[in-house]
Amino acid sequence: MAFNDDEQSAPVANNNGGTTTRPPGITGVPVGQVQLTKYHNAEAPLDPNDQEVLLELKGTSSATSRAALDLIAVLDVSTSMAGDKLDRMKAALLFVIRKLADVDRLSIVTFSNDAARLCPLRFVAGDAARADLGALVDGLAADGNTNIRAGLEIGLAVAAGRRLTAGRAVNVMLMSDGQQNRGDAMRLDPGGVPVHTFGLGADHDPAVLQAIAGKSREGMFHYVADGVNLTAPFSQLLGGLLTIIAQDLELTVTRVDGEAAIKKVDAGTYPQAAAADGSSVTVQFGTLYSAEVRRVLVYLALEDSTAFPPYDAEVVEAQFRYSLQGATVASNPDPVSIRRSGSAPEPSEEAPARKPEVETEMARRRHAESIREARSMADGKELERARTRLVEAQNALEDVLDQANPMVDMLREELLQLLRLMETQEAYERAGRAYAVSSLASHDRQRFAARGDAEGVRLFATPRMDAYLEQARRFDEDPGVAALPSAEEDVRQEVAANPLAPVAGQIAFYVRSAIQALQAIDKIFASVAAATSTSTSTST
């Protein structure tokens, strides 16, 4: 099965006879789209000791540049979707159609007993294109059983056969409420395409849908509870996909010989590649949304430096690179410097406190592991043990240094919801397992996932997602076109609210590059001065 008939160019005229325009946020120089911040202790003893370094990559505004989107919607239209579920899915897809910009393309695939591609990838440019796509959605009818594999096969075939690929982001969005005939769907190879899955209601199998999403590159599983409108969860995915400011993002951490060894790099479930000699580790993240964050914990073993006087030690270097619109950007190597002085504390002495940012991130990861353990216990019908584990996780949050961090409150809310959904085995089977699976997917990818609804726990949500959530609420109340701003208007509103946002990242990039160049020059002069001093002493 192969498709190679997607639309190659947007219509040249709109309904008013004018030419279509490329909206803000599509073109621009992709420099400074990503910023790196380092958190670590400023000092460490000269004795051998362990240190943690938190590296934080954050996406800047998408108002200057973002990747055009190719979205393939793969939709369950089996008998179990008949009635209210189908109506809610149609409404959510209409929201998606109205929010896509004229450089974005959409393909719609449906599945029940078999699967059908309703349209190839086509540009969502102008009212006529939106009306045509809307008519396809309005005509959806439910019939037959759920065959997830059939739908996913065609969706991935559309992705594999697409043309006009340079700089575009292809994503598959799969929605299902059933679990019949889905057994071997997990065996399909996504081929590097992100597959974002939405499990609707109590009858879907969250383990299967998460396995599909998890096997794909950076895909996410979203759980949507019975009775919840799909517009809000769909809007959150779209709020990310329409603000992709970096593709093929990767971070490399390299040790400085003689100073430190890399014990571990913790980046969740993102793939890593380590050098054969252990000198470096590269983490591959894929895409990054505007204002989205990726935090990486690097565990170091500092070498014995007791033979030296106190000095500033560069222990590791961090460097990231990414692409956008066919251009590649690489940062300069950014060293992590720690002052080495004094002796390690005695066993009876209290260890130096970590940076609050490091401590909070370590606590979040322990929190996620607690949920993983509790889920395993609940799957084994050991609900009391599972609930005890969650209570222990609640108590552990009280020890987090930065209690003012909004994330801490969201972690507490997540645990409260899980405790409620693990009160009985029936409650866990109906909704608790899906909630736990979506929570773990979110923590592992450091990306927003709906947990029952899109409003309760907002971990990893971005400002555009927050804006789209409010728009989704209004759209569900009144689907009128006038009530929903376009993606172009979203960008203009963001620029009006913060006029410097489109250039702030670029300015920061060039300033940092200049500082690093000056620091490099300073090192050269210091090295020359030291060599000259040594030569003079020898001559004397």
Side-chain angles (χ1 to χ4, degrees), residues 331-353:
S331 73
N332 293 321
D334 199 344
V336 173
S337 181
I338 298 178
R339 180 71 176 175
R340 301 290 301 273
S341 65
S343 301
E346 296 294 331
S348 59
E349 297 176 337
E350 186 174 348

Side-chain angles (χ1 to χ4, degrees), residues 374-375 378 383 386-387 390 418-424 428 436:
R375 180 203 164 188
L383 276 184
R387 287 174 58 82
L390 295 176
L418 280 167
L419 281 167
R420 180 179 63 83
L421 295 172
M422 288 187 182
E423 286 183 352
T424 65
Y428 176 73

Side-chain angles (χ1 to χ4, degrees), residues 54-119:
L54 175 63
L55 302 176
E56 180 180 277
L57 296 173
K58 184 173 184 178
T60 60
S61 171
S62 60
T64 299
S65 303
R66 67 107 164 158
L69 176 65
D70 285 343
L71 180 62
I72 303 158
V74 180
L75 309 171
D76 188 345
V77 292
S78 60
T79 303
S80 58
M81 286 290 296
D84 183 58
K85 286 183 180 179
L86 187 62
D87 291 340
R88 285 188 280 130
M89 185 180 73
K90 290 180 180 181
L93 200 57
L94 289 175
F95 178 94
V96 171
I97 290 170
R98 293 184 187 179
K99 295 301 294 185
L100 293 174
D102 65 356
V103 294
D104 301 317
R105 296 189 296 181
L106 176 68
S107 175
I108 300 175
V109 175
T110 60
F111 65 92
S112 52
N113 291 324
D114 296 307
R117 185 187 62 147
L118 301 190
C119 64

Side-chain angles (χ1 to χ4, degrees), residues 73 236 337 476:
Q236 300 305 275
S337 181
D476 282 332

Side-chain angles (χ1 to χ4, degrees), residues 36 55 57 249-255 262 265 273 275 279-285 298 316-321 331 333-334:
L36 171 65
L55 302 176
L57 296 173
L249 174 65
E250 62 180 35
L251 172 71
T252 298
V253 182
T254 304
R255 75 184 182 204
I262 300 172
V265 174
S279 61
S280 68
V281 175
T282 297
V283 182
Q284 299 170 336
F285 293 108
V298 182
V316 291
E317 288 183 340
Q319 184 176 25
F320 62 87
R321 58 173 45 86
S331 73
D334 199 344

Side-chain angles (χ1 to χ4, degrees), residues 233-416:
F234 277 21
S235 77
Q236 300 305 275
L237 174 60
L238 200 63
L241 298 182
L242 292 183
T243 64
I244 292 176
I245 53 83
Q247 298 169 284
D248 307 311
L249 174 65
E250 62 180 35
L251 172 71
T252 298
V253 182
T254 304
R255 75 184 182 204
V256 175
D257 288 339
E259 293 292 351
I262 300 172
K263 296 174 62 179
K264 177 183 177 183
V265 174
D266 186 352
T269 56
Y270 288 103
Q272 302 182 13
D277 61 357
S279 61
S280 68
V281 175
T282 297
V283 182
Q284 299 170 336
F285 293 108
T287 59
L288 189 70
Y289 304 153
S290 174
E292 205 176 33
V293 173
R294 295 286 178 269
R295 296 183 178 93
V296 177
L297 276 170
V298 182
Y299 295 85
L300 299 175
L302 270 55
E303 304 286 352
D304 185 351
S305 295
T306 52
F308 301 97
Y311 70 105
D312 293 325
E314 292 184 358
V315 293
V316 291
E317 288 183 340
Q319 184 176 25
F320 62 87
R321 58 173 45 86
Y322 60 91
S323 64
L324 189 68
Q325 301 173 9
T328 299
V329 177
S331 73
N332 293 321
D334 199 344
V336 173
S337 181
I338 298 178
R339 180 71 176 175
R340 301 290 301 273
S341 65
S343 301
E346 296 294 331
S348 59
E349 297 176 337
E350 186 174 348
R354 298 185 181 94
K355 281 276 190 178
E357 295 85 357
V358 176
E359 189 63 59
T360 301
E361 180 60 16
M362 293 178 72
R364 183 191 69 79
R365 292 169 192 245
R366 290 192 297 268
H367 165 99
E369 285 308 306
S370 296
I371 294 176
R372 204 180 313 276
E373 292 169 8
R375 180 203 164 188
S376 178
M377 294 169 186
D379 284 342
K381 303 190 185 310
E382 298 179 291
L383 276 184
E384 283 306 312
R385 286 188 64 209
R387 287 174 58 82
T388 298
R389 189 70 192 88
L390 295 176
V391 171
E392 291 171 351
Q394 282 182 314
N395 295 335
L397 287 178
E398 303 306 317
D399 297 329
V400 176
L401 295 176
D402 189 6
Q403 289 289 316
N405 191 322
M407 177 180 288
V408 178
D409 286 335
M410 285 187 277
L411 297 180
R412 287 195 183 96
E413 177 61 25
E414 189 173 46
L415 292 173
L416 286 172

